[in-house]
Amino acid sequence: MSSPDRYAVFGHPIGHSKSPRIHGLFAEQTGQNLQYIAQDVPADAFANCLAEFLEQGGRGLNCTIPLKELAWRAAGRCSKRAELAKAVNTLLVEADGGLFGDNTDGVGLVRDVCVNLGLALAGKRLLLLGAGGAGRGILQPLLDEGPDGLVIANRTVGKAEQLVREFAGVNGRGAPPLAACGFADLAGQRFDVIINATAASLQGDLPPLPADVLEPGGACYDLAYGTVPTTFLCWGREHGAAVSADGLGMLVEQAAEAFWLWRGVRPDTAPVIRLLSAERGF
Ligand code: ATR
């Protein structure tokens, strides 16, 4: 058999990345001959590590924290969704050696929420917590689902306002209403779906949310995931959410979209999500 095509995920820290496992399972399932490794790459080593990877014949790369913006800048050509996100999590080496950048995070989230969890976002009131890179990356795919409205709440209100200005300009009239506020301004507002894109969960912390901000029977989704339930996932369970999930499914779905871009084959994500969920036991 010919030597396997080379893929990798770059990030820092990267030790606990599940991506090599996920792509290994996808390759096994679809019979693709590839190798996928995780490489610890701090931001200041990105350019050199990328050049080395390409010299060695690398075919595609995932980039995670803190490299998504650098990857966006490194790509010669980008998908529209990566351009809007100003962040790239997937690089494809094209036939002429050029780098094509994509961002599969948003579509991964939407697929996990709408297909795996069976929640329709159309006509719903959405609350997005956080206005950093993670929030920006998922905003357009969320708006494309046609919610009744979307409010971005952030600790630094100016950053949420900046996102609203940018995306309102892109979407124009007739698009779902988009608004920005601080956490204190959420008092008296109710949402059907709350998506946490702050880094708070990773620190075991939680944005200060009014206890009744979630419609009874609504849904909570945390982009973060871990070996134990995240703080926000627990908040949802304690505040009447019918569905409260973390980002494990999104992780697998964004990987599947990258795999499809690289290999032209779409893996079945359900058994992989089932396996990883069973292994962590919640
Ligand atoms: P990422 O690319 O992962 O989004 P980021 O750009 O540093 O990382 O953004 C982190 C987000 O989490 C921001 O929205 C940040 O709020 P600020 O813009 O006010 O900094 C938010 N965040 C981080 N820690 C938080 C906390 N303890 N409580 C609430 N929000 C928090």
Side-chain angles (χ1 to χ4, degrees):
M1 196 157 79
S2 58
S3 57
D5 292 337
R6 297 165 65 110
Y7 296 86
V9 58
F10 284 3
H12 181 74
I14 201 70
H16 295 291
S17 172
K18 290 188 190 299
S19 293
R21 180 95 193 284
I22 293 170
H23 282 280
L25 290 165
F26 287 166
E28 200 177 290
Q29 184 198 95
T30 57
Q32 295 285 305
N33 184 22
L34 63 85
Q35 173 210 63
Y36 184 110
I37 59 156
Q39 190 173 332
D40 197 311
V41 178
D44 59 6
F46 178 68
N48 282 344
C49 292
L50 175 61
E52 192 178 49
F53 181 74
L54 296 175
E55 262 166 42
Q56 291 168 352
R59 302 281 297 269
L61 202 57
N62 283 136
C63 294
T64 186
I65 291 170
L67 306 174
K68 291 183 187 182
E69 193 182 333
L70 287 174
W72 170 62
R73 293 184 191 284
R77 217 162 59 82
C78 275
S79 64
K80 183 169 175 238
R81 60 195 182 192
E83 250 352 305
L84 283 169
K86 294 189 174 139
V88 155
N89 75 337
T90 305
L91 286 167
L92 164 76
V93 182
E94 298 190 282
D96 64 1
L99 279 178
F100 176 75
D102 197 1
N103 190 317
T104 65
D105 287 333
V107 71
L109 166 73
V110 167
R111 208 164 280 152
D112 194 38
V113 169
C114 297
V115 179
N116 301 339
L117 301 174
L119 295 167
L121 296 178
K124 299 282 170 57
R125 278 185 53 72
L126 306 192
L127 172 61
L128 175 62
L129 306 174
R136 168 186 284 279
I138 60 172
L139 196 45
Q140 189 61 41
L142 287 174
L143 292 171
D144 289 344
E145 289 300 300
D148 193 36
L150 192 154
V151 173
I152 307 169
N154 198 44
R155 190 170 58 182
T156 312
V157 185
K159 279 167 70 179
E161 288 170 343
Q162 170 61 27
L163 275 189
V164 167
R165 271 195 296 278
E166 239 177 90
F167 282 77
V170 171
N171 284 279
R173 291 173 61 180
L178 195 53
C181 68
F183 295 122
D185 305 316
L186 292 172
Q189 300 197 58
R190 285 262 178 111
F191 298 89
D192 303 301
V193 180
I194 307 179
I195 295 168
N196 180 30
T198 71
S201 257
L202 300 171
Q203 305 146 10
D205 205 353
L206 197 66
L209 297 175
D212 60 354
V213 70
L214 181 70
E215 269 310 330
C220 289
Y221 195 97
D222 198 342
L223 263 52
Y225 65 90
T227 51
V228 294
T230 65
T231 321
F232 183 63
L233 184 150
C234 297
W235 185 94
R237 286 178 178 167
E238 288 156 13
H239 289 79
V243 174
S244 195
D246 72 3
L248 183 70
M250 172 180 168
L251 178 77
V252 176
E253 293 295 345
Q254 64 77 29
E257 187 75 9
F259 194 91
W260 184 76
L261 178 76
W262 291 330
R263 309 300 297 184
V265 180
R266 196 173 277 286
D268 183 4
T269 51
V272 177
I273 295 174
R274 263 200 309 275
L275 179 68
L276 296 180
S277 297
E279 282 176 0
R280 62 182 192 164
F282 70 91

